[in-house]
């Protein structure tokens, strides 16, 4: 290595003077902080605006002469250029204010059946959040920080209007947008919410994911070319161009990186060009580098005139330096609200000195967390938190001065049209039912084709089972004895069980992920439930038909079932409807059940009941009268009787009693189809009524 070409890299120490609004005096009883003797690494709380031209002055050169110097402030500096986006003023500038927010949930005997907790919970209510006020202007990035359980998500949800309506919970206070109480139908069009979990389809590409949102969330009056431009803009703005055509992927399927996936989630919400963006823990699960990338993206989005609010857990120091405003929460109370760059000085003035080499975020979290490891530590830390909360509520409100769009906030009223917002329809959905159906069907079809593992395993399962059953019952249908006939009845029943469980398990493993994606998309008003449900049903039918046809073609002729075209197609029809009915049963239960575990426990039970009363194990006259009704709800019973009648129609085999339920084979098919329709209808009803995202609109 060329020694002379490698000068020593000198860490850049940055002296910082932090002008702040601080309380007049520190706490009595506190001793002054010890003099700091540690080496000065520079103030890690240094804010983005303080970074000017402190480029690393020493250059480190690689052997080939490439400059490989490292600039630790690169991310921060990148954002100093506020003119990166072409979309700077294309939205309404919105100022969000909140006053005296309080949120309580019931914990008492009356609400949940458990005894009341002590303290203010005696009335049966637990206070999750109280006395929370603040403001964030356009161009500003607000971070809500606090330890686990501090109330960050609750506050974010209150600000975003996304608190789930729960029985007995109570919210109070005021949330204002540009000084006025918000109109939720308009607010939903200008504010977007990015959930902590990236609920995205792994099989879609980045572009397809963003495009889907654009096509359905932008109004139908907007030409497709303009929607495509919006997609391109978002992809560029989030630096996703290089991976635009890469699958999103998941733990099982290689796709984009965690940071890119998070940016895709943001892009999905950004496509409507919202003025306000709320994010819940956007860096959770990301490594330090990807976390920084995501936050610098938010920083840039804020500079482009948006109002951005995010919760975050223990950010590293260069992430912390990106925040304009900081809100520290502990035990549901505000410890600090004001400019992020002033927080260190604020706590210093209270005699809580953040050591020079410390990441202020770490220091604050340690300072305001309740230590429950021992009663003494808990009492002490709770006291500290109470005193800090009181100090905060007694301190003068801080004036927020940041963002270049601050005066724009007062100019615009929510509802005044600008660019994208101008074109938004005032109705809940931006496109017609038919348009939704078209895009949903295309997406469902793409997903279905790309679910390679599921498709190949179902293909393998179909081929293996049909050949195996065919070998076991090879030529059984070609004999004339009553034993052959009884054997044939056995295979007819067994193949129905196989198809029922195969269809149901295909739903159990695939639907839970889809359910969370659909919930997210419904919460942002992307489409109607009916169009989703119809698209899903229409797209699944061809696949189910294909596998059933394949199964029938192999098994039917190996076993030697009645060799007529009409008998064969009747067989295919019954097996197909049975499978779709079992899928519908699994779907309805999956939607109704609280979680996938409950669904996977309930679905086999429902199917086994149907099998038990299917007419093979127990004859109708062997069942207690008061249980007979179950037989008439059994999908297997109708399918089995129809198949048996199809096979033995017109055949007289001495000593054989053919199972029958008194209906003709076509009547049995009609009852089976009726059960199918009822189960599909129930699935739709459950999705519409029980899985609708409902939010409290009090504030
Ligand atoms: N609807 C509710 N019913 C009962 N308790 C609730 C409800 N909502 C929130 N809580 C409780 O309030 C506290 C704050 O919850 P919240 O999710 O806001 O915390 P957080 O700071 O976001 O935590 P984390 O960082 O772990 O996600 C927690 O103890 C939580 O259990």
């Amino acid at each position: 290595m060329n020694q002379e070409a490698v000068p020593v890299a000198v860490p850049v120490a940055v002296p910082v003077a932090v002008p702040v609004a601080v309380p007049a005096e520190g706490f009595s009883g506190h001793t002054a902080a010890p003099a700091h003797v540690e080496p000065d690494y520079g103030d890690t709380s240094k804010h983005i605006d303080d970074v000017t031209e402190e480029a690393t002055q020493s250059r480190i050169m690689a052997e080939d002469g490439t400059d490989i110097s490292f600039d630790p402030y690169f991310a921060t500096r990148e954002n100093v250029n506020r003119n990166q986006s072409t979309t700077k003023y294309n939205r309404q500038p919105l100022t969000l204010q909140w006053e005296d927010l309080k949120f309580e949930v019931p914990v008492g005997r009356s609400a949940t059946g458990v005894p009341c907790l002590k303290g203010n919970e005696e009335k049966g209510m637990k206070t999750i959040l109280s006395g929370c006020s603040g403001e964030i202007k356009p161009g500003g990035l607000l971070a809500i920080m606090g330890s686990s359980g501090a109330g960050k998500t609750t506050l974010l949800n209150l600000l975003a209007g996304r608190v789930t309506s729960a029985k007995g919970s109570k919210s109070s206070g005021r949330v204002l947008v540009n000084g006025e109480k918000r109109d939720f139908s308009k607010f939903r069009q200008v504010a977007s919410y990015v959930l902590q979990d990236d609920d995205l389809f792994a099989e879609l590409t980045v572009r397809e994911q963003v495009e889907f949102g654009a096509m359905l969330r932008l109004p139908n009056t907007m030409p497709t070319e303009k929607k495509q431009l919006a997609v391109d803009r978002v992809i560029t703005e989030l630096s996703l161009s290089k991976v635009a055509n890469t699958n999103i992927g998941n733990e099982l399927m290689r796709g984009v990186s965690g940071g890119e996936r998070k940016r895709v989630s943001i892009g999905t919400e950004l496509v409507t060009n919202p003025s306000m963006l709320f994010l819940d823990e956007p860096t959770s699960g990301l490594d330090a580098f990807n976390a920084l990338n995501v936050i610098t993206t938010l920083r840039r989005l804020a500079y482009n005139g948006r109002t951005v609010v995010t919760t975050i857990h223990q950010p590293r120091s260069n992430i912390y330096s990106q925040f304009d405003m900081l809100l520290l929460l502990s035990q549901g109370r505000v410890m600090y609200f004001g400019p992020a760059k002033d927080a260190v000085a604020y706590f210093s003035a209270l005699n809580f000195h953040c050591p020079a080499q410390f990441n202020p975020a770490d220091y604050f979290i340690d300072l305001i967390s309740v230590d429950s490891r021992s009663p003494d530590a808990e009492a002490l830390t709770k006291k500290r938190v109470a005193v800090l909360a009181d100090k905060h509520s007694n301190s003068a409100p801080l004036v927020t001065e940041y963002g270049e769009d601050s005066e724009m906030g007062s100019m615009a009223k929510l509802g005044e049209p600008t660019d994208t917002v101008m074109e938004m329809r005032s109705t809940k959905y931006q496109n017609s039912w038919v348009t939704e159906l078209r895009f949903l069907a295309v997406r469902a079809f793409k997903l279905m084709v790309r679910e390679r593992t599921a498709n190949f395993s179902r293909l393998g399962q179909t081929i293996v089972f049909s050949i195996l059953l065919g070998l076991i019952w090879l030529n059984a249908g070609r004999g004339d004895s009553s034993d052959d006939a009884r054997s044939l009845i056995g295979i007819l029943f067994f193949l129905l069980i196989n198809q029922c469980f195969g269809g149901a398990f295909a739903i159990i493993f695939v639907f839970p992920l889809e359910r969370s994606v659909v919930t997210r998309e419904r919460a942002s008003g992307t489409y109607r439930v009916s169009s989703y449900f119809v698209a899903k049903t229409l797209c699944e039918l061809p696949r189910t038909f294909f596998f059933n046809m394949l199964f029938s073609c192999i098994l039917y002729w190996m076993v030697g079932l009645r060799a007529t075209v009409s008998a064969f197609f009747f067989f295919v029809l019954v097996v197909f409807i049975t499978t779709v009915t079992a899928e519908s049963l699994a779907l309805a239960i999956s939607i109704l059940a609280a979680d996938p575990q409950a669904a996977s426990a309930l679905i086999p039970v429902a199917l086994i009941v149907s099998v038990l009363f299917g007419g093979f194990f127990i004859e109708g006259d062997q069942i207690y009268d008061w249980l007979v009704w179950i037989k008439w709800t059994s999908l297997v019973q109708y399918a089995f009787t129809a198949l048996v009648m199809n096979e033995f129609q017109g055949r007289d085999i001495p000593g054989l009693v053919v199972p029958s339920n008194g209906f003709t084979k076509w009547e049995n098919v009609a009852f089976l189809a009726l059960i199918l329709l009822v189960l599909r209808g129930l699935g739709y009803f459950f999705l519409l009524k029980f899985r609708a995202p409902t939010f409290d609109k009090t504030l």
Side-chain angles (χ1 to χ4, degrees):
M1 185 186 262
N2 180 358
Q3 294 291 331
E4 286 181 3
V6 186
V8 180
V10 183
V12 182
V14 184
V16 178
V18 190
V20 287
V22 292
E25 56 188 54
F27 296 147
S28 57
H30 269 286
T31 52
H36 302 307
V37 289
E38 298 87 354
D40 186 1
Y41 295 101
D43 189 340
T44 48
S45 71
K46 187 161 62 67
H47 186 259
I48 182 170
D49 291 337
D50 300 326
V51 177
T52 51
E53 291 304 315
E54 299 148 3
T56 309
Q57 279 156 30
S58 310
R59 296 273 165 247
I60 303 175
M61 316 302 282
E63 278 182 25
D64 63 0
T66 313
D67 183 352
I68 55 165
S69 318
F70 174 63
D71 170 10
Y73 292 116
F74 74 99
T76 314
R77 194 185 315 286
E78 213 176 50
N79 279 297
V80 172
N81 177 8
R82 296 177 174 209
N83 298 313
Q84 281 181 338
S85 172
T86 51
T87 60
K88 200 169 172 189
Y89 294 112
N90 283 352
R91 68 195 65 78
Q92 287 176 284
L94 298 179
T95 297
L96 184 72
Q97 291 163 305
W98 56 102
E99 292 168 12
D100 204 17
L101 294 188
K102 188 172 184 182
F103 185 69
E104 298 169 290
V105 292
V107 289
R109 192 184 294 279
S110 58
T112 61
V114 293
C116 294
L117 300 178
K118 288 182 187 153
N120 65 343
E121 286 96 26
E122 274 166 10
K123 290 181 219 126
M125 299 299 279
K126 179 183 175 187
T127 304
I128 304 291
L129 196 73
S130 69
C132 189
S133 302
E135 179 191 75
I136 179 84
K137 291 178 178 172
L141 171 58
L142 165 68
I144 302 173
M145 263 170 51
S147 54
S148 185
K152 303 182 292 296
T153 304
T154 306
L155 174 60
L156 185 82
N157 289 345
L158 283 172
L159 298 181
R162 291 282 190 120
V163 172
T164 313
S165 317
K167 199 179 159 201
S169 64
K170 228 166 73 185
S171 49
S172 61
R174 293 206 306 165
V175 177
L176 304 174
V177 178
N178 285 352
E180 290 179 359
K181 190 169 169 20
R182 59 189 157 178
D183 168 345
F184 275 93
S185 62
K186 285 180 185 168
F187 188 70
R188 196 159 76 158
Q189 293 185 355
V190 294
S192 291
Y193 190 108
V194 180
L195 294 165
Q196 184 172 349
D197 296 322
D198 299 319
D199 293 323
L200 304 166
F201 286 115
E203 295 83 5
L204 292 183
T205 65
V206 169
R207 175 174 288 281
E208 284 167 344
Q209 171 64 31
V210 180
E211 219 166 43
F212 179 78
M215 294 303 158
L216 291 186
R217 291 179 65 190
L218 291 172
N220 60 354
T221 48
M222 190 186 265
T224 308
E225 304 78 59
K226 217 170 165 190
K227 289 184 181 179
Q228 286 294 354
L229 279 179
V231 173
D232 292 340
R233 188 201 72 211
V234 165
I235 288 178
T236 311
E237 195 161 15
L238 296 179
S239 312
L240 289 168
S241 306
K242 280 191 189 137
V243 292
N245 296 317
T246 306
N247 281 351
I248 292 168
N250 55 23
E251 307 78 40
L252 304 174
M253 183 182 148
R254 184 71 206 129
V256 297
S257 72
E260 286 161 345
R261 191 175 308 143
K262 179 53 74 182
R263 278 184 277 144
V264 177
S265 288
I266 297 172
T268 305
E269 296 304 322
L270 212 59
V271 80
T272 56
N273 202 5
S275 302
M276 217 175 257
L277 197 59
F278 298 91
L279 305 102
D280 193 12
E281 309 262 2
T283 57
S284 72
L286 299 184
D287 60 51
F289 181 73
N290 274 312
L292 178 63
N293 274 343
V294 168
I295 297 297
T296 52
T297 301
L298 298 185
R299 172 66 275 163
R300 200 162 56 232
L301 295 175
Y303 268 155
N304 291 337
R306 296 184 179 91
T307 312
V308 183
V309 182
T310 181
T311 63
I312 193 156
H313 250 302
Q314 297 215 255
R316 56 190 270 207
S317 55
N318 57 354
I319 286 183
Y320 180 83
S321 72
Q322 312 271 327
F323 302 137
D324 293 300
M325 297 294 284
L326 175 70
L327 195 153
L328 287 175
L329 272 179
S330 180
Q331 306 249 294
R333 297 187 68 189
V334 182
M335 304 287 105
Y336 174 80
F337 173 70
K341 64 178 178 178
D342 297 351
V344 170
Y346 172 86
F347 284 103
S348 279
L350 299 177
N351 273 336
F352 293 108
H353 300 283
C354 175
Q357 78 279 26
F358 251 63
N359 171 3
D362 291 344
Y363 178 77
F364 296 146
I365 296 293
D366 292 346
L367 178 69
I368 65 175
S369 292
V370 171
D371 183 353
S372 309
R373 284 174 298 181
S374 72
D376 285 350
E378 185 170 336
L380 179 78
T381 47
K382 275 190 169 166
K383 180 74 190 161
R384 187 198 299 145
V385 164
V387 172
L388 283 173
D390 291 343
K391 277 282 169 192
H392 167 77
S393 50
N394 294 335
S395 64
L398 289 154
V399 179
T400 54
E401 287 174 10
Y402 56 84
E404 54 191 332
D405 302 30
S406 45
E407 83 270 24
M408 290 162 67
S410 57
M411 279 156 33
K413 296 283 180 207
L414 183 60
E416 281 178 8
T418 60
D419 195 53
T420 309
V421 180
M422 175 174 62
E423 301 184 43
M424 286 286 197
R425 296 168 70 197
S426 55
T427 51
K428 194 172 173 192
Y429 300 102
Q430 298 298 319
N431 288 277
S432 69
W433 191 89
V434 176
T435 308
E436 288 177 3
L437 181 71
R438 187 157 60 89
F439 283 104
L440 281 160
V442 169
R443 183 176 77 171
F445 186 76
K446 276 184 191 162
L447 289 172
M448 195 178 71
V449 171
R450 292 178 194 174
E451 282 167 358
R452 292 211 175 152
T453 316
N455 288 338
F456 278 116
S457 55
R458 201 162 169 189
L459 182 70
Q461 184 197 26
T462 303
I463 294 173
V464 168
F465 267 105
S466 52
I467 293 178
L468 191 65
L469 295 181
L471 287 174
I472 295 172
W473 276 277
L474 193 64
N475 292 325
R478 296 187 175 97
D480 282 336
S481 70
S482 59
D483 281 351
D484 287 333
R486 266 190 286 275
S487 172
L488 212 54
I489 291 173
I491 171 70
L492 291 178
F493 194 74
F494 191 83
L495 73 88
L496 286 173
I497 298 176
N498 182 61
Q499 294 310 92
C500 282
F501 278 89
F505 276 92
I507 297 289
I508 291 177
F509 293 120
V510 175
F511 187 68
L513 169 70
E514 189 167 335
R515 188 170 102 167
S516 51
V517 176
V518 172
T519 306
R520 173 180 61 72
E521 291 174 337
R522 285 177 72 188
S524 50
T526 311
Y527 46 73
R528 298 160 182 85
V529 189
S530 53
S531 52
Y532 160 74
F533 210 76
V534 172
K536 181 174 172 58
T537 304
L538 289 181
C539 282
E540 274 174 2
L541 288 181
R543 176 166 62 176
T544 307
F545 183 77
F546 168 78
F547 286 120
N548 279 284
M549 191 63 169
L550 182 65
F551 181 81
S552 303
C553 283
I554 298 172
L555 186 73
Y556 199 88
W557 305 107
M558 282 183 81
V559 173
L561 294 166
R562 198 146 71 94
T564 66
V565 174
S566 62
F568 173 72
F569 280 107
F570 184 85
F571 176 92
V572 173
L573 179 74
V574 172
V575 172
F576 172 62
I577 300 182
T578 306
T579 312
V580 179
T581 311
E583 285 176 355
S584 305
L585 175 75
L587 188 65
I589 295 176
S590 292
I591 294 169
L592 188 63
D595 54 61
Q597 283 77 13
S600 54
L602 287 172
I603 291 166
V605 172
L607 284 177
I608 285 170
V609 170
S610 184
V611 167
L612 274 179
F613 286 83
F616 184 75
F617 297 116
I618 326 165
E619 291 291 329
D621 51 8
Q622 294 172 313
I623 304 171
Y624 288 118
D625 288 348
W626 55 276
L627 280 178
V628 167
W629 64 272
I630 302 178
K631 174 184 158 181
W632 301 114
T633 63
S634 164
L635 70 104
V636 177
Q637 187 260 138
Y638 294 108
F640 177 57
T641 313
L643 286 188
V644 168
M645 293 178 89
N646 185 47
E647 184 59 31
F648 293 101
Q649 212 168 31
R651 284 171 70 180
D652 187 20
I653 301 170
L656 178 73
V657 182
V658 177
S660 165
N661 60 6
F663 296 113
T664 66
K665 70 176 188 180
W666 282 107
E667 282 170 347
N668 276 297
V669 172
F671 281 117
L672 191 59
L674 185 67
I675 295 179
L676 163 63
L677 289 178
V678 168
L679 289 173
R680 277 278 144 174
L682 278 178
Y684 172 68
F685 176 77
F686 294 154
L687 194 60
L688 190 68
K689 291 291 167 204
F690 301 135
R691 297 290 156 232
T694 47
F695 302 120
D696 181 354
K697 294 183 180 163
T698 318
L699 303 181

